[in-house]
Structure formats: structure tokens, C-alpha cells
Amino acid sequence: MEPNDLTPTELRVWQAFSHGESVDFRSAAGEDVGNGADWGPERTVRAAVLRSLLLNGPQEDGEIASLKLAGARITGVLDLQYATIDHPVRLRRCHFDETPRLYAARLRELNLSESDLPGLTAQALRVDGTLRATRTVFRGPVRLGGAQLAGSLYMESAQINAADAEEPVLQLNQAALGADLWAPGLVTHGQIRLNGANVTGTANLTDAQCENPGDAAIDAMALTVEGDLALKRAHIRGWIGLKGARIAGRLDLSYAHLSNPGDAALRASSCTIGELWLRKGPPPQGTLNLRRAQIDVLFLEPEVVPDRLRLDNLAYTSLTPHEPTERRLPMLERDEGYVPHAYEQLTAAYRRIGDDHAARLVQLAKQRRQRSTLGWYGRLWGHVQDATVGYGFHPLRAFGWLLSLLAVGSVAYAVENPPPLKASEAPDFNPVFYTLDLLLPVISFGQEGVFAPDGWYQTLSYALVIAGWILATTVFAGVTRTVSRQ
């Protein structure tokens, strides 16, 4: 393209390129770029001119050529597919009539901040520096699947309004970011796809508003984040999918609002997370699925726990904040059915901080929950063990039962002594030791075998023998369970 083919506006941009000078066509600092379609020829630059500049623009010895344009209306398609651009590209506060095509292009730097675009097609894009889209408005999908950025992707306060699109509105699947995904305040209407993406730094979606009701708002299966994934104060309508993800730092959902009624609000099964923070916000509207997840620190406030949980095979090292069992156990009861592993994890968390009493209460609750899954005979025996010794976690209760039965038997047999079998050989009758002989199945004081009660007192002796065996069996079972657990 020759300078003679350019409009005065384009010639100004052309001449500034070789010196790396900025060209700003803005008439006012706060103008609405969304109205850029109404800008006249004095602010209009053809995309073909920009393409020619970037591929074959004039060079000046001793100068660093770069495209620095602001406040322009760019008509036509900026087509840089497969191109290698050695110059910084900064198109700030510009209005694009057509979607730029940057498929498999390689650039030093790309800045589209505060611009208005109908979308962006840039799969497999490579940027040696950063890609900036701060406060940028996209009216169609942003396709960055497989992109490789040596630096960060900046999308703070960007907006992607493509709810009617039949594809994800922000596509970063299989993308590799050498630094951060920095997008606090991001607003999307449609799905964000991060499947298989790799973020070396932090993924910051604090204060983001992502809406895709009934479907995936953020689909990040197998996402890898070496730092934190921040969703603090985020408002998410639709589900967040983190199946198989690996987040080395913190997944921060503090103050977040998650809403996907009737389905999962957070799908984080089979993922690995350094710290998961769920605090200070309302309970998610939907299921919290943490099945098979591996978490070092689970910061979960009871007030934030939703009505439905999936905790099967969830493993965590510590659970904070420290709460009494009456505030933690309802969390386990919201799972689908009886999940023994969840009780074992909670027990281990209490033991790690030295709260053995709470650990025993969790184990007792586990036995009671398991009882509801047994047949009638199992439930009956379970009630007996619970009432007598609390499944072995309240051994002193057996001593209380023993003293009560000993008192009943001693009083009854003191009122009416049972007759001896052989009066000449029988020792003196002792109602206390006779009752102990009936109650204790192993120890003998020489009373039971030489006296024979009759009538009601014989029935009482049978009852004491049966009660003694039940007490002995439940105590033995409870002690065995406790020792094996240690």
C-alpha cells in the first residue's frame, strides 16, 4: 500500500508508525467507544492499512516502530492470521466494525484496552509479552483456545456480551499463560472455558459476574494454576467445573454468590487444591461436589454449607475454623446417603488438633448413621449398644448400668433370700455377691451355683444374667473398636 492511497487520517497513522509515536483521535476523555460506528472519516482507519503497516510498514534507523492508535474507528477485518509481527500493537479505545482475525499469529505485545469489538478470533495466538483487554467490551465470543502468552492476560472489568452464542464466550481452553490471568470485575454472559489451561501465576476473577444459568458458567476441567484462583465476591449463575483441576495455592470463594438451583453449583471432584476457602458468603444454591478431591486446608464455615453435599472420598489435612461437633456433623448428614469416609476425615481433623472428645463424638455419630442402613435386627442391636455403652465411646455408662442392676438385685434378694440347694454345704448368703455372680459372666464368687431362687426371683435372676452378657458383649465390642481405631 502506498501513501497516495491513504486518507489524511490514515496518513497520520502511517507517518507516526516508524517513530513509534502515539496517535489519539479522541475528542473527549470520557466518550463512549460503543458509539464508534457513528464516527466520521476524520477518525476512521481501514483495517487493511493497519495490516500493511504491521507487515511492511516503513522503518526508520535508530527508531523502534510500533502501532499506537487510540480513539479510531477501524473498518474491515484486521486479518493477521499466521503473521509474525515484530512491533508492539496498541489499539486502545478503538471501535472495530469487524472481528479481528489473529489465528496462529505471533506478536510482541497486543493491547486492546477500553476498545469495543464484535469479538476476537485468536486461537493458537502467541504473544511474547502481554495481552491487554482492560475494560474492553466484546459483543461476541473471544476465541483464545491454545494461545501461548509469555506474560499475563489482563481483562479486568472487561465485558463479553454474547449470551446468544452457541459456543463459549471466552475460550481459553489449552491456553498457556506465563504469568497471570488478571480479570477482576470481568462480566460475561455465557460460558467461560478454561479446560486444560495452564496459568503459571494467579487467576484473579475477584468481583467477576458470570452468567450462564442452567449450564457451565466457568468450565475449567483439568485447569492448572500454580498460584491462587481467586473468585472472591464473585457472582456466578451456572455451575463452576473444576474436575481434575490442580490449584497449587488457594481457591478463594470468600463472599462469593454461587447459584445453580437443582444441580451442582461447584463441581470440584478429583481435583487437587492447596487451600479451599468457603466463608462469609451465603450458602451456594445448588450442590457442593467435592468427591475424591485432595485439599490441604479446607476453610469451611458451617453457615456457608449448602443443603446438598457430595463428600465421598474427599481428603483434607486440616479443617478450619475449629467448630464443635454439633456445628460440623449436620454437614455430613447432607450428603447423599451414608458416607463413612466423610466421618473418618472429620475424626482425623479433630485428632490432629488434639480434640479427642470431638473425635469420639464424630465416631459415635457415624455408628448411629450407619445403624439407619441396617436391617431391623441390626438396628435393634445398635440401639442396645448405643443405650448401654454408646457404642464403646461412653464406657462409664456400662458402669452405671451395672450399679443400677446391682442395686435392684441386692435389694430384691435381701428381702427374700433364695433357698440353698444343699443347706449343709451352702455358705452364708450375700445378696450383693449373689447379684454380682449373676451379672458378671466370667467372675464367680461361689454364690450362684448353691442357691436356687424360685418364682419371680428366678425370673429376675435370668434377666440379670442376660443383662450381664449384653453389657459384657457391648463393652468388649466398644473397646475392640476403639483399640483398633487407635
Side-chain angles (χ1 to χ4, degrees):
M1 183 172 290
E2 299 296 330
N4 293 336
D5 300 326
L6 305 177
T7 66
T9 299
E10 295 168 343
L11 182 61
R12 182 181 169 186
V13 177
W14 190 278
Q15 293 172 342
F17 174 80
S18 60
H19 296 275
E21 296 177 353
S22 299
V23 179
D24 192 343
F25 292 114
R26 289 179 297 165
S27 59
E31 63 183 1
D32 186 359
V33 182
N35 297 325
D38 298 330
W39 294 344
E42 73 283 357
R43 299 180 63 172
T44 300
V45 179
R46 288 171 292 168
V49 175
L50 300 182
R51 182 178 188 274
S52 181
L53 263 179
L54 293 171
L55 295 177
N56 303 296
Q59 303 286 320
E60 192 77 29
D61 291 341
E63 299 289 344
I64 300 175
S66 60
L67 178 59
K68 299 178 182 178
L69 179 60
R73 176 189 177 189
I74 300 174
T75 59
V77 178
L78 179 58
D79 190 348
L80 297 172
Q81 296 184 94
Y82 304 103
T84 298
I85 309 298
D86 292 327
H87 317 293
V89 180
R90 301 174 184 173
L91 300 170
R92 302 185 63 195
R93 305 183 186 91
C94 291
H95 181 92
F96 289 76
D97 285 356
E98 303 289 340
T99 299
R101 297 175 185 169
L102 305 177
Y103 182 88
R106 180 167 184 174
L107 291 82
R108 292 290 183 88
E109 177 191 358
L110 178 60
N111 191 337
L112 300 171
S113 295
E114 301 177 86
S115 294
D116 186 287
L117 299 90
L120 178 64
T121 300
Q123 297 97 326
L125 171 71
R126 293 185 63 183
V127 181
D128 295 336
T130 60
L131 171 54
R132 294 183 179 271
T134 302
R135 293 183 293 279
T136 302
V137 176
F138 296 95
R139 289 171 277 112
V142 178
R143 305 179 182 95
L144 288 166
Q148 298 183 46
L149 279 62
S152 298
L153 171 59
Y154 292 99
M155 297 190 73
E156 59 263 47
S157 301
Q159 299 182 39
I160 306 177
N161 302 312
D164 297 331
E166 296 182 356
E167 59 184 305
V169 298
L170 176 56
Q171 301 170 26
L172 283 165
N173 45 298
Q174 308 301 324
L177 278 61
D180 301 325
L181 170 58
W182 201 258
L186 174 68
V187 178
T188 59
H189 297 275
Q191 181 187 134
I192 298 176
R193 178 168 291 176
L194 291 165
N195 294 353
N198 191 308
V199 180
T200 303
T202 293
N204 187 350
L205 294 167
T206 299
D207 295 310
Q209 298 185 39
C210 307
E211 296 193 2
N212 196 24
D215 206 339
I218 302 176
D219 189 359
M221 183 174 63
L223 167 70
T224 298
V225 180
E226 300 296 338
D228 299 335
L229 173 54
L231 286 160
K232 191 174 182 179
R233 295 187 299 275
H235 286 70
I236 311 295
R237 293 184 61 197
W239 51 266
I240 300 175
L242 292 170
K243 182 178 181 180
R246 187 178 70 85
I247 302 168
R250 178 190 307 160
L251 172 56
D252 194 348
L253 289 162
S254 303
Y255 303 94
H257 291 69
L258 309 182
S259 177
N260 192 36
D263 199 354
L266 175 63
R267 301 178 179 180
S269 59
S270 303
C271 66
T272 303
I273 302 174
E275 298 182 20
L276 172 57
W277 284 25
L278 272 165
R279 64 187 191 101
K280 302 302 182 184
Q285 297 180 23
T287 304
L288 178 61
N289 188 346
L290 298 176
R291 296 180 64 199
R292 301 182 300 278
Q294 302 284 330
I295 303 172
D296 287 338
V297 178
L298 178 57
F299 195 123
L300 180 61
E301 293 180 340
E303 295 83 5
V304 185
V305 177
D307 294 334
R308 297 181 62 191
L309 292 172
R310 298 295 302 275
L311 302 176
D312 191 18
N313 289 315
L314 165 66
Y316 50 87
T317 303
S318 65
L319 177 63
T320 58
H322 179 57
E323 296 280 356
T325 55
E326 57 265 24
R327 285 173 55 80
R328 288 296 185 194
L329 288 173
M331 174 178 71
L332 308 187
E333 296 170 0
R334 297 175 188 179
D335 207 331
E336 296 182 359
Y338 168 58
V339 182
H341 182 82
Y343 287 89
E344 294 299 331
Q345 283 293 304
L346 183 56
T347 300
Y350 277 124
R351 283 180 176 154
R352 289 189 190 100
I353 60 175
D355 195 345
D356 292 332
H357 175 69
R360 288 193 297 271
L361 292 178
V362 175
Q363 285 295 302
L364 178 58
K366 175 190 172 185
Q367 296 298 326
R368 290 170 174 169
R369 183 77 181 275
Q370 183 187 28
R371 185 173 66 205
S372 64
T373 67
L374 304 176
W376 68 267
Y377 47 87
R379 292 196 301 272
L380 177 60
W381 178 239
H383 282 293
V384 171
Q385 291 190 79
D386 196 358
T388 53
V389 292
Y391 286 99
F393 297 103
H394 295 296
L396 290 179
R397 190 180 296 175
F399 185 68
W401 278 102
L402 180 63
L403 289 179
S404 300
L405 293 173
L406 177 61
V408 171
S410 299
V411 171
Y413 292 117
V415 172
E416 183 172 338
N417 297 345
L421 293 175
K422 294 182 179 181
S424 60
E425 299 178 4
D428 294 337
F429 179 75
N430 188 306
V432 174
F433 285 97
Y434 179 75
T435 305
L436 284 175
D437 255 353
L438 296 174
L439 286 172
L440 302 179
V442 178
I443 301 174
S444 176
F445 293 99
Q447 294 277 316
E448 179 185 2
V450 296
F451 293 97
D454 53 13
W456 181 87
Y457 291 97
Q458 188 178 35
T459 304
L460 175 61
S461 68
Y462 295 157
L464 291 174
V465 170
I466 294 172
W469 275 105
I470 292 176
L471 282 174
T473 304
T474 52
V475 168
F476 178 77
V479 171
T480 301
R481 188 183 300 116
T482 303
V483 171
S484 63
R485 192 173 298 111
Q486 296 296 333

